[in-house]
Amino acid sequence: MVSRIFACLDTLIDLALSPGWNGDYDDFDQRNAGTAQLRELIDSDRVILYIPPVLVANIHLAVQTYAGVAEASQVIERLLEMGNTALGIDYERVLEQANKLFGRQMELTLYEAVLLVAAAALKADAIVVRAPTLFSAAVYPHRQSWFEFDIPILGVKDIQELESFLSRPTHANGNWIYAFTPQGRVIRLPYGATPVDFAYRVHTKIGNRCTAARVNGSEVPLDQALRHHDVVEIVKGQTSQPNPEWLSFVVTRTAKKAIQRGLRNLWSQRGWVIANEVLSKNGRIRRHQLEWASRELQCSTQELILKLGADEIPIEKIQTLVQQGCYWQVEEKVLSAEGKSATRQQPSGWWLASCCHPLPGDPIVGVLGGQNRPIRVHCATCDNLQRVPASRCCQVTWECQQCDIQLLVVMQDQPDIVRPVLNRLVEYDMTPNLRSLNIAPDGTVRTAISLEISSRRDLNRTLQQIEAMPQVMQVKVTKLSPVEHPKVPPFSLTPRFSQPAST
């Protein structure tokens, strides 16, 4: 039996990431086990997850505040793969009733009230929330006065109840239908499935090449719901591709994921073709041009290519951004070691040297690389500068106030070993982000933590505080990069480079 469920904001983010993504480890084991079971039910199409669009916006805001825009976009992509936002209900009526409930119960937020009302309007089988007692206390006293509400409200740790509910026997034409291929193969689909769902259940390639469908010998629209015992024939095209409109009516997660994956591949190929034709023919310069444009648009390079291939961003806009900010194409006169003037192109970015780890406030010197290569920024006291010719050195000035650093912390393997380290960093008004955690065969835990540092003093204090913890065996800086403003490079470059010392 297929069950239709809704889930609260915290549960949805736990599904897309994992419990504890924001440092909240209350009931971690139960939440982790519950979300794993729920994810398994969704993957096996035993559960259809419905997500009101207002929750999508709130989820993006919550994750962006904690982890940044890139992580928030990835969370939304995963949720759109898992769930269905096309509910087919009267949202004006839903918002009106949710506003009334919100006015009566201030313990609930408006989007939580929308979740409850939408679930009732769609007659969902269950609602999975983080705090079922709070939701039940807010809804059940008023369930007869404003709408009929008789939906189980389950906690994440009560997923076993949902599994037992799904395992109840049902008749053949209940929430499942059984359709047939022309060769007699039986295909089981959830109620409301379309010929496109049927095609993807048979094979992904058949779904991608689907152009039309015949049901019981007659051609039907691709969005028409199939019935029990229908014989379905899929008409395939040689060069057909998935259609974005299919996402509005398919009901199985298998079809939705395959369509989204096919569209991403198609848009990626098309986007790279456009970029290669219009932007620089030099691969390295083209990569820097795309990186600059993606920073201006606050997205990753891959997202930029996908939007370019999907015609969401015109190539003319990228060309304009590149022309405005492409500082590596500006030519300047540089005095060579022999005293002759030579023309050098400005570098294509900035690298912080890993030998000295310069931080905002440190005196710094830039070292020019080859043509179209980035400037490598060193501390002015770095020993490696003694081996660099004076003609390759230039003056640079900090324009950013903070740097992103990544620490490698090696600790003894103990239960809940990372939390004390994160709490220690939070005590010093820092926002740590746990990037990875690996358990080595020798019984040690190696974890990568990223955070923002504004000075050398802050870095030394952070390292000292972590090293002083008894369970920490080693801590060191592994990565360092400036926090860039979308419109301002992290450094300013003095137009006149330093001349070589006279002999």
Side-chain angles (χ1 to χ4, degrees), residues 295-363:
R295 285 198 299 267
E296 291 288 301
L297 298 173
Q298 298 185 356
C299 64
S300 65
T301 303
Q302 184 60 31
E303 291 174 348
L304 179 64
I305 291 296
L306 290 175
K307 292 179 180 180
L308 182 60
D311 295 330
E312 296 182 13
I313 296 179
I315 187 63
E316 292 78 13
K317 184 174 182 178
I318 297 179
Q319 287 180 297
T320 302
L321 292 174
V322 167
Q323 291 171 0
Q324 292 175 350
C326 197
Y327 49 84
W328 54 81
Q329 292 182 346
V330 181
E331 293 185 352
E332 289 192 355
K333 296 289 184 178
V334 181
L335 192 64
S336 64
E338 292 79 11
K340 300 177 181 179
S341 64
T343 301
R344 181 194 294 268
Q345 285 189 329
Q346 284 277 28
S348 58
W350 318 88
W351 281 352
L352 295 182
S354 58
C355 55
C356 52
H357 293 307
L359 290 171
D362 293 345

Side-chain angles (χ1 to χ4, degrees), residues 128-358:
V128 181
V129 299
R130 176 80 178 276
T133 304
L134 174 63
F135 275 78
S136 300
V139 174
Y140 287 144
H142 309 284
R143 63 182 183 274
Q144 297 295 335
S145 60
W146 55 285
F147 68 86
E148 295 292 333
F149 188 91
D150 191 20
I151 301 175
I153 298 179
L154 305 177
V156 180
K157 60 184 180 180
D158 302 322
I159 298 299
Q160 292 84 354
E161 297 182 21
L162 182 61
E163 285 195 285
S164 62
F165 175 78
L166 293 174
S167 61
R168 294 183 305 176
T170 181
H171 48 85
N173 59 352
N175 284 352
W176 291 105
I177 64 169
Y178 293 87
F180 299 88
T181 67
Q183 293 76 28
R185 177 184 171 186
V186 181
I187 304 297
R188 189 176 75 159
L189 295 165
Y191 181 80
T194 64
V196 177
D197 294 289
F198 181 93
Y200 277 105
R201 183 58 62 88
V202 174
H203 199 281
T204 302
K205 291 184 178 179
I206 294 178
N208 288 339
R209 294 171 54 192
C210 175
T211 58
R214 298 189 185 96
V215 176
N216 302 324
S218 301
E219 187 168 337
V220 298
L222 292 178
D223 59 352
Q224 176 175 305
L226 298 176
R227 296 178 299 179
H228 200 47
H229 291 163
D230 278 345
V231 178
V232 185
E233 179 184 359
I234 302 298
V235 180
K236 303 181 293 294
Q238 293 296 327
T239 59
S240 301
Q241 299 288 348
N243 190 334
E245 296 180 357
W246 294 351
L247 293 172
S248 63
F249 57 77
V250 295
V251 298
T252 61
R253 186 166 179 264
T254 302
K256 182 178 294 187
K257 289 182 63 177
I259 294 170
Q260 292 173 337
R261 184 169 56 250
L263 290 174
R264 283 196 297 267
N265 293 337
L266 176 63
W267 292 338
S268 179
Q269 295 174 6
R270 185 184 300 167
W272 280 114
V273 169
I274 297 175
N276 293 339
E277 290 179 351
V278 177
L279 299 180
S280 173
K281 302 304 180 183
N282 184 298
R284 181 179 298 166
I285 297 179
R286 182 170 60 249
R287 185 183 74 246
H288 291 308
Q289 289 174 336
L290 291 172
E291 289 175 354
W292 174 267
S294 63
R295 285 198 299 267
E296 291 288 301
L297 298 173
Q298 298 185 356
C299 64
S300 65
T301 303
Q302 184 60 31
E303 291 174 348
L304 179 64
I305 291 296
L306 290 175
K307 292 179 180 180
L308 182 60
D311 295 330
E312 296 182 13
I313 296 179
I315 187 63
E316 292 78 13
K317 184 174 182 178
I318 297 179
Q319 287 180 297
T320 302
L321 292 174
V322 167
Q323 291 171 0
Q324 292 175 350
C326 197
Y327 49 84
W328 54 81
Q329 292 182 346
V330 181
E331 293 185 352
E332 289 192 355
K333 296 289 184 178
V334 181
L335 192 64
S336 64
E338 292 79 11
K340 300 177 181 179
S341 64
T343 301
R344 181 194 294 268
Q345 285 189 329
Q346 284 277 28
S348 58
W350 318 88
W351 281 352
L352 295 182
S354 58
C355 55
C356 52
H357 293 307

Side-chain angles (χ1 to χ4, degrees), residues 78 360 395:
R78 294 170 193 156
Q395 279 188 317

